[in-house]
Amino acid sequence: MNIQLREKPDQTDGILAVTKHYLGSDDGAFEVRFDGSKLSLVSPAGIRIAQAVLIRHQANLLLDDVVFEVGRHDQPQMLAALADAVFCRFPDAGQLLLPPVEEAWPVIALATARTADPVADKLRTVLKRSVLRQLPLLWRKQASHLTYPAVETSIGPADRLPPLRSPRPNGVMYERWLPEIDLTLSFRPIDRRHDLDLFHEWMNDGRVSFFWELAQSREDLDGYLAAQEQDPHIFGVIASLDGEPSGYLEFYWGKEDRLGPYYEPTDYDRGWHGLIGNKRHLGRPKTMALFRSVTHYLFLDDPRTQLIVGEPRATNHKMLSYCAHAAYDKVKEFDFPHKRAMFVCCQRERFFSEVPL
């Protein structure tokens, strides 16, 4: 495919004309450029590698005439990027009608049903927004992750033995462009050999230490992070916006966590703690985007995860105010040894049905 590209516009009549997408199998930002009804997927090198036509018929959105660059084996990811662009441009659309398998084989990796074509005399395949958001074709970096089978172990809390946990990811774990704030959010594991100064600065900020209670020396905080490296149930993460470190997160498995005795955990429940350390990135829009994206990543990381849990302070009303907008239920208050906490949880089906991504 060798087609000349027009200069990319930012918007057309107030509607997104260029969207950014991160393939799970590749590095860099891919763009989908809209030119009327035509969509072009452009690689980070500026090469057009796929194209399609978007048809709007009554309440239906149809993707037609899909063509991929010859020889590429990541066509399901490319089709996912084209579909994601449509959902970004039409945030209220719940589904997209794709061509039949006979016309575009990659649909077998995305579509979950067939339906009559509202325009032509044939069957189309159906891709639901809630399904696409759960597929690791985009956003979750395949090269950074290992997924283990359910292997029993005798290591862990005697009354809550977990399965063998996979090692923490290596490198960038997740990358997604957020159209609501026009920034790219990425996650990577913290590296105490390179991030200790930043971690120390954030933890000794009074705004942060009030909740985290980790206003300690560099040596003590280095020990804190070193202990995480020996604990398979938890690891620290740096969140960045457009490449600038913005916050610190901790991702954990719920069953063997300190939270485990306070509810009935299953093997693949996940949980998280988080803070925004970079004051340039404070504010509700960015915090809400981070809140939802963390939840998205944790569900995306392992398809067996059906529940995400948390235990913020019961008095942290600002944090709790985000729960309803990210499909978290406030279940109960309870007493940890060090705080009065609110047990919150988010179920996979509700999250992907209700939360705009």
Side-chain angles (χ1 to χ4, degrees):
M1 188 184 301
N2 185 15
I3 306 171
Q4 292 296 315
L5 297 178
R6 294 177 54 188
E7 281 296 314
K8 60 179 183 179
D10 292 323
Q11 290 194 336
T12 301
D13 297 330
I15 300 177
L16 287 171
V18 178
T19 55
K20 297 178 183 178
H21 310 271
Y22 293 85
L23 278 58
S25 57
D26 214 327
D27 293 327
F30 291 69
E31 290 186 347
V32 172
R33 303 178 185 177
F34 290 82
D35 184 3
S37 63
K38 297 179 181 179
L39 289 71
S40 298
L41 178 64
V42 180
S43 75
I47 300 170
R48 188 186 307 242
I49 58 173
Q51 63 185 31
V53 173
L54 179 64
I55 300 171
R56 300 175 66 182
H57 178 76
Q58 298 176 353
N60 297 297
L61 294 172
L62 299 80
L63 207 59
D64 216 354
D65 298 333
V66 181
V67 179
F68 302 103
E69 183 180 52
V70 175
R72 291 192 67 115
H73 300 291
D74 57 351
Q75 293 181 16
Q77 289 90 336
M78 294 160 65
L79 180 59
L82 290 170
D84 185 40
V86 175
F87 287 131
C88 286
R89 196 177 192 193
F90 299 95
D92 295 328
Q95 67 179 31
L96 176 64
L97 302 186
L98 301 177
V101 176
E102 295 78 13
E103 295 181 13
W105 71 263
V107 303
I108 62 175
L110 289 85
T112 57
R114 292 186 176 90
T115 190
D117 190 314
V119 179
D121 184 20
K122 62 180 180 181
L123 287 177
R124 282 189 170 270
T125 53
V126 180
L127 172 61
K128 294 186 178 297
R129 175 193 292 268
S130 61
V131 170
L132 176 64
R133 295 293 184 260
Q134 298 183 63
L135 301 179
L137 297 170
L138 306 174
W139 313 300
R140 179 184 181 269
K141 296 301 182 181
Q142 296 173 7
S144 299
H145 294 81
L146 296 172
T147 300
Y148 276 13
V151 176
E152 294 183 358
T153 75
S154 59
I155 300 173
D159 59 336
R160 293 174 282 116
L161 286 175
L164 184 64
R165 299 301 188 193
S166 56
R168 68 182 63 195
N170 179 32
V172 176
M173 307 149 48
Y174 175 90
E175 208 164 12
R176 187 165 72 93
W177 176 64
L178 307 172
E180 65 270 30
I181 58 175
D182 193 22
L183 295 170
T184 293
L185 174 67
S186 62
F187 300 147
R188 63 169 176 84
I190 192 169
D191 183 342
R192 65 187 176 91
R193 294 156 190 84
H194 297 97
D195 298 317
L196 184 58
D197 287 342
L198 182 65
F199 187 66
H200 175 261
E201 176 189 338
W202 287 350
M203 287 302 175
N204 282 273
D205 183 328
R207 176 180 55 85
V208 171
S209 64
F210 178 82
F211 293 104
W212 280 73
E213 300 178 346
L214 283 174
Q216 300 173 2
S217 68
R218 292 179 79 264
E219 291 72 20
D220 287 341
L221 291 174
D222 184 60
Y224 176 88
L225 294 176
Q228 280 189 0
E229 295 176 352
Q230 303 172 30
D231 185 345
H233 106 279
I234 190 169
F235 65 96
V237 172
I238 295 293
S240 297
L241 288 168
D242 276 359
E244 181 181 27
S246 58
Y248 172 74
L249 309 159
E250 290 179 349
F251 296 162
Y252 61 86
W253 296 99
K255 189 172 187 179
E256 57 266 49
D257 189 69
R258 66 184 183 184
L259 181 57
Y262 294 90
Y263 79 112
E264 296 182 7
T266 62
D267 282 350
Y268 295 98
D269 296 350
R270 296 297 288 269
W272 62 282
H273 312 289
L275 66 93
I276 293 181
N278 187 331
K279 295 178 181 179
R280 290 187 61 252
H281 295 301
L282 291 171
R284 191 167 183 86
K286 291 179 181 178
T287 303
M288 188 76 259
L290 179 66
F291 203 110
R292 289 171 171 170
S293 295
V294 167
T295 308
H296 183 217
Y297 168 77
L298 292 175
F299 279 131
L300 201 63
D301 186 42
D302 195 317
R304 295 167 293 191
T305 297
Q306 299 297 314
L307 189 73
I308 295 174
V309 296
E311 33 87 343
R313 289 182 183 272
T315 56
N316 191 348
H317 301 298
K318 182 175 290 187
M319 172 66 79
L320 292 170
S321 71
Y322 292 99
C323 287
H325 301 285
Y328 280 75
D329 290 315
K330 291 181 279 189
V331 180
K332 64 178 182 180
E333 289 191 19
F334 67 99
D335 288 315
F336 262 149
H338 65 296
K339 68 178 181 182
R340 179 75 173 171
M342 175 69 75
F343 177 64
V344 300
C345 66
C346 178
Q347 299 192 35
R348 173 184 286 268
E349 183 176 357
R350 183 185 169 201
F351 178 77
F352 287 106
S353 296
E354 296 182 10
V355 176
L357 290 171

